[in-house]
Structures are given as C-alpha cells and as structure tokens.
Amino acid sequence: MNYVWHRSYPDGVPRKLDLRKYASIPDALGQAIKRWPESIAFEEGGETLSYRQLDQHAQHLAAWTLEHHGLQPGDRVAVMIPNGLAYPIAVLALLRAGLVVVNINPQFTARELEYQLRDSGARAIIISAPLLAVMATVLDRCDVNRIVTVPAPGQSAFSELPAAARCRSFAQALAEGATLSFKAPIISASSMAFLQYTGGTTGPCKGAILSHGNIVANLLQIDAWMGRTLQRNRECVLTALPLFHIFALTFNLLYSVMLGARNVLVANPRDLNGLALLMKSVRFTAISGVNTLYNGLLATPAFADADLGGLKLALGGGSAIQSSVARQWRERSGIPIVEGYGLSETSPALCINALPAQEFSGSVGYPLPMTRVTLRDDFNREVPIGEVGELCASGPQVMAGYWQRPDETVEAFTSDGFLRTGDIARMDDHGRFFIVDRKKDMVLVSGFNVYPTEIEAVCAEHPGVHEAACIGVPDLRSGEAVKIYVVRADPALEAEELVRHCREQLTPYKVPRHVAFVDELPKSTVGKILRRELRDAPL
C-alpha cells in the first residue's frame, strides 16, 4: 500500500524490507563482529574494546550465566550499570543466552529498584559496585539470587572485587566463563529480548515487551534510512545518552555495532565541561542527544573549542528540539539537528527526517519503511491532513504489549491494532509529522487547547532564558492558566519582560499568567524535562 509520505522518501530508501534477514539481534550484529574483529568497538575513559574482545567476552559471560545462574532462556536479568565497557558486553551476552534484558536506571532509589525487580521477576542482576548498598536493602524482597558486580568508574573494567554470598565480580564471571563451552539456544523473532520500562508519567512504570523481531525490524529500518549518510566501519559515534534508555540502546549501541562503528562512551554526561573537552580530542562523526543536552553544550564555554569538523549526523529525539537550540547548533556545527520520533513501546524509532538534511525542519519527519501512522480524534476517527489528532502507529517495531498488564495493553491499542502514543500531532501535505505536545500535558484555558511545547519554544527565543517548562495550574476564571518555570540566562530578566515578549508572539489565552524563576528544572536521566514534577510542586 502506498502512503503520502512514500512520495517524499529519499532516493534509495525502500518501502519494504526483508524482516527475515536476521533471526535475532545477535545474528544482526554478528556480521560486523566477524568482519572487523580488530576494529575498536567501544572506548571509555582511555580503555578500548575491539570487536573480537566484545565477541569473546560476551560469549564467556553468556556461557557462565547459563551454567552458574541456573537460568533458562526467557528468564529476566536486570542490568543496572552506567555507560562503560561492561554494558555492551553484558547486553550482548544476555541476548545470546536467550535471556531478557531488564534495563534499570543506575540513579534509582531503593523503592524504585525494588518495584522494577519485583514487577519484572528478575532472577539475577548485573550491577555497578557502588550500588550494592542500595541493592542490599531490597534483596530479601525480590527473586534475585545472583549478583554480578561491575567496578566503579576509574577502576579497571575487569579488576577483581571481593566475592560475597550470591555475588561475583564481572572479571570472575568472565574468567570462569572462558573455561566453559557455550551452546547457543534457539532464538526466534518472537522471543522476548528486552523488558523496557516506560517512564511512568501516568502511574507505576510499565514494562514494554520488545522481541528480537521488534528490535531487528527497527535496526533494518534505521539502516535503510541512514545508509547513504553513515558508512560501515567508517564512523565514530559519541554516546553521551545513557545506554539503558531506548534511544541510545537502539541507535548508539545496537545500530553502532551493526554498522561496525567505533563508539566513544561518556560515563557522566552531566559533566558538560568534561564532555566538551572530550569533543576537542575525539573526532566523532555522529552524536545523538535530547534538547537539553544540545542546549547545555551550547552554553558551555569549552564547547567553543570542540572539534566538529568530521560531524555528519546530529540526531535529536526523546523530547522536542526547540528551534532556538537548533539554530544555534547549526551556526556552531555547520550541520542541522535531524529530529526523529519514537517511544519505548516502538523499539523506538517511528519517524525521522530525510537525509541528508540541509536545515532543521521543526518536524519529526516521515514514517520509516513498513511503518503506518494515523492521527485520530477522541472518537478514533482519522483527522484530515493539517488537523491535529493523537498519533497512532503500527509496524513491525511496535511492542506486543505491556508485561503482565493485559488490561493496559488492550487500552494502549485501537480496535484495529494501532498503538496509541498519547502524543498530539499534525501531518502536512508531504507526509511529514509535527508533534504538537503530549496529550496529557495539554493545558485547557477557557476551553482552548494550549500546548506547553509551543509556550516553551517562544520563551526560549528570549535571550534572557536558558530553559523553560510550561504547565497548567488551576484557575477560577478559566479552569486552567499557563504557568512557566524559567532558568535565567540573564540574571536581570524580570517576569514582566518575559510576559511582554510572549504577548508579542502568542494569542492572549496562551500567554503565561504565572512566571516562576528557578535555579534548575527537574529532568530525567536522559535529559527530558519532567513537567509532572512541576505539576506536583506547591503552587
């Protein structure tokens, strides 16, 4: 079937793909591993890992996991480690063993960790050593019976750590696994690969069931789209986003390996000065980031000396890229930010802008091959081109459902099988999609819809604003009123001046009625601004 966006596909991008090309994720990555064994696969903190070493370590850990854990294919294993050489080894090993990776944010509290371990039923965990104290507080209330510890940053990635009951160091597991034979289990496209938990913006976080087939399909879709921009065994990918997040997991880790790229991992992306200094010494060709990362770098003095001469692709996602940030990035780097769109539930990529890109488009681009997107109103009817509706999607990369939540799975899909994303969007005549905002973040002022992303973008255009976040607050006259939280770039900026700026750009009902200046905005680990925490804050 032909769709309007097919007419705008870049030359060479197919409409259909052979989804049977690879049986599993390890199969999809194996070609690069075998073809360029001596090339550097990953680098972090001065240490490197070749594709040969990645292959060997992953096989040894896979063998040890099945032999010593008493686990069976399909069992869940948690991974709670920051960006470092151990992460790609651990993930590839678990996938080879037919086990299910449960990614856990290393910054989680004991309560959050316990919830995810109990909900997933994880029987083992690979965890950063400094987090053992947190793990100890929940161990008796979950099913984890084996712990593998990974050294903290600054230690050798494979140095020995003292053994304890139920506990082995990463180095010990690799050494013991090297003495074992590994018999790869049969893995099919329907086999579960990841239990990828969502952010929990509307309640407890849910585990999206992503199969090997889902991830392989997305890798093939991304490869078909990127094929003319990124070349095999020629690229250097800079990974500042955390690998446990679905954006970096699929693009920076899995696709990077499939591409045979060199991947430079950043253990602490919050250290923007350190990241900018790294950019001075590493000639990278691709980077992925969210709006706050790009904005933060642009405001970091050391970024002025970053070497961007080899940069081919700056990929944006996770949250809307503001036009002011995109403009400054283009002026500094010489290339635009290419925005894409997706969710944990979709492996994640659904849409991306055409490549090579000449300008920042403000859209999230076109649906990837074999992806269908529709916009629907509250009665599940498709809306005409140019009008807004909830973005609903189907395709081979879309999850099977939520882990142990049949009712919420049914609720997440339309009657004809499309995933309800919860995002409001519009489509233009060329088939490009523009995200307007999150459906649940929309502010209703006197019956008029106000989308926070628009208000934030207008505020960000003011030179005195570094960052802004918009929410709705109760109002006796209008039901809700617009409130904006602002991190100043200019300490002298006053609320009246910002409101005056907004009045020049916005319809009156959209103009913020309340302005609050703050030192920082609450953000997720990947850098998304957490509006829900602002909504929960005292008025």
Side-chain angles (χ1 to χ4, degrees):
M1 187 176 292
N2 293 323
Y3 300 105
V4 60
W5 51 82
H6 284 158
R7 298 197 299 267
S8 300
Y9 265 23
D11 292 341
V13 175
R15 300 179 184 182
K16 291 185 178 181
L17 303 168
D18 180 9
L19 301 180
R20 298 170 298 178
K21 184 175 182 179
Y22 302 112
S24 65
I25 299 170
D27 187 27
L29 307 187
Q31 181 178 0
I33 291 172
K34 293 176 182 176
R35 187 173 178 184
W36 300 291
E38 305 310 323
S39 294
I40 293 175
F42 293 93
E43 176 181 334
E44 193 277 317
E47 292 189 77
T48 61
L49 188 73
S50 71
Y51 277 96
R52 184 191 303 279
Q53 291 170 318
L54 173 65
D55 182 45
Q56 291 173 342
H57 289 316
Q59 182 157 315
H60 295 162
L61 186 59
W64 182 87
T65 302
L66 294 179
E67 178 76 18
H68 289 278
H69 280 253
L71 298 174
Q72 300 296 323
D75 285 341
R76 277 79 60 207
V77 177
V79 178
M80 191 177 184
I81 51 181
N83 287 7
L85 301 187
Y87 186 90
I89 295 171
V91 167
L92 184 55
L94 297 177
L95 294 175
R96 281 187 177 180
L99 299 165
V100 180
V101 177
V102 181
N103 278 307
I104 298 182
N105 186 340
Q107 295 185 3
F108 268 6
T109 63
R111 179 188 61 81
E112 294 166 321
L113 172 60
E114 179 182 348
Y115 171 82
Q116 197 161 322
L117 290 175
R118 287 169 61 88
D119 188 76
S120 66
R123 296 186 57 202
I125 186 170
I126 302 174
I127 186 170
S128 181
L131 302 177
L132 286 173
V134 178
M135 184 68 206
T137 66
V138 306
L139 192 56
D140 292 339
R141 297 190 297 275
C142 59
D143 296 329
V144 172
N145 55 37
R146 179 67 72 181
I147 301 171
V148 178
T149 61
V150 176
Q155 293 177 290
S156 170
F158 309 113
S159 63
E160 294 293 338
L161 292 176
R166 293 193 278 184
C167 190
R168 287 287 186 276
S169 75
F170 200 70
Q172 288 171 325
L174 291 174
E176 293 173 14
T179 68
L180 304 171
S181 60
F182 173 66
K183 183 179 180 181
I186 297 174
I187 303 172
S188 68
S190 61
S191 298
M192 196 191 315
F194 294 93
L195 203 51
Q196 194 72 17
Y197 278 77
T198 64
T201 56
T202 58
C205 55
K206 305 180 288 288
I209 300 171
L210 300 180
S211 68
H212 281 261
N214 290 147
I215 299 293
V216 166
N218 211 217
L219 291 175
L220 290 171
Q221 290 167 323
I222 294 169
D223 194 45
W225 203 265
M226 298 282 181
R228 296 187 308 157
T229 301
L230 301 180
Q231 298 175 287
R232 277 164 165 67
N233 200 225
R234 298 280 300 274
E235 310 300 341
C236 178
V237 179
L238 185 61
T239 299
L241 296 180
L243 289 171
F244 63 79
H245 189 274
I246 190 65
F247 183 8
L249 174 67
T250 298
F251 178 76
N252 291 74
L253 173 57
L254 301 178
Y255 183 59
S256 175
V257 172
M258 187 177 179
L259 200 62
R262 172 190 172 203
N263 196 319
V264 179
L265 303 177
V266 178
N268 180 20
R270 293 178 183 273
D271 177 10
L272 290 174
N273 187 67
L275 175 57
L277 291 174
L278 178 64
M279 289 175 156
K280 184 178 179 180
S281 61
V282 174
R283 192 173 177 83
F284 58 99
T285 62
I287 185 174
S288 64
V290 295
N291 188 76
T292 52
L293 177 66
Y294 289 120
N295 192 31
L297 280 170
L298 288 164
T300 302
F303 183 63
D305 296 323
D307 181 3
L308 306 180
L311 190 58
K312 298 179 181 179
L313 175 67
L315 188 61
S319 59
I321 300 294
Q322 293 174 339
S323 58
S324 59
V325 173
R327 182 178 62 252
Q328 292 177 67
W329 178 268
R330 175 62 188 267
E331 291 171 356
R332 170 65 185 89
S333 70
I335 69 167
I337 296 174
V338 177
E339 198 168 5
Y341 169 77
L343 310 166
S344 295
E345 292 90 338
T346 60
S347 304
L350 286 172
C351 302
I352 191 169
N353 274 276
L355 294 171
Q358 301 302 319
E359 299 292 341
F360 176 74
S361 72
S363 83
V364 295
Y366 307 98
L368 290 169
M370 301 182 74
T371 302
R372 185 180 175 191
V373 174
T374 68
L375 302 179
R376 307 197 180 189
D377 62 19
D378 291 339
F379 301 98
N380 200 35
R381 299 173 302 199
E382 292 193 31
V383 302
I385 291 175
E387 294 190 13
V388 299
E390 181 178 8
L391 192 151
C392 302
S394 69
Q397 73 273 49
V398 177
M399 69 169 185
Y402 292 116
W403 175 251
Q404 295 183 332
R405 283 177 168 76
D407 292 343
E408 294 186 52
T409 296
V410 171
E411 212 173 288
F413 288 87
T414 65
S415 57
D416 55 343
F418 281 71
L419 176 72
R420 303 179 189 272
T421 68
D423 287 313
I424 302 298
R426 64 178 175 84
M427 184 183 77
D428 68 11
D429 292 336
H430 301 287
R432 292 187 304 176
F433 285 84
F434 295 76
I435 303 299
V436 177
D437 222 314
R438 288 291 298 169
K439 189 174 184 179
K440 293 181 175 63
D441 285 341
M442 186 179 69
V443 183
L444 196 62
V445 179
S446 300
F448 293 98
N449 295 339
V450 177
Y451 297 103
T453 298
E454 179 187 11
I455 314 306
E456 291 163 358
V458 168
C459 289
E461 291 286 348
H462 192 288
V465 172
H466 173 58
E467 289 181 322
C470 172
I471 64 168
V473 295
D475 186 87
L476 291 176
R477 291 182 301 166
S478 57
E480 282 189 303
V482 175
K483 182 173 183 176
I484 192 80
Y485 288 83
V486 175
V487 177
R488 292 181 176 104
D490 178 1
L493 177 66
E494 297 291 342
E496 293 78 8
E497 181 182 345
L498 183 60
V499 170
R500 185 165 54 251
H501 165 78
C502 290
R503 285 199 183 109
E504 295 172 355
Q505 307 292 328
L506 297 167
T507 304
Y509 68 84
K510 297 180 182 180
V511 175
R513 193 173 296 171
H514 308 277
V515 178
F517 292 108
V518 294
D519 293 332
E520 61 180 356
L521 296 172
K523 297 173 186 173
S524 69
T525 306
V526 77
K528 286 185 182 180
I529 293 173
L530 300 176
R531 292 177 184 146
R532 67 178 183 273
E533 291 194 11
L534 295 174
R535 286 195 293 267
D536 293 339
L539 296 177

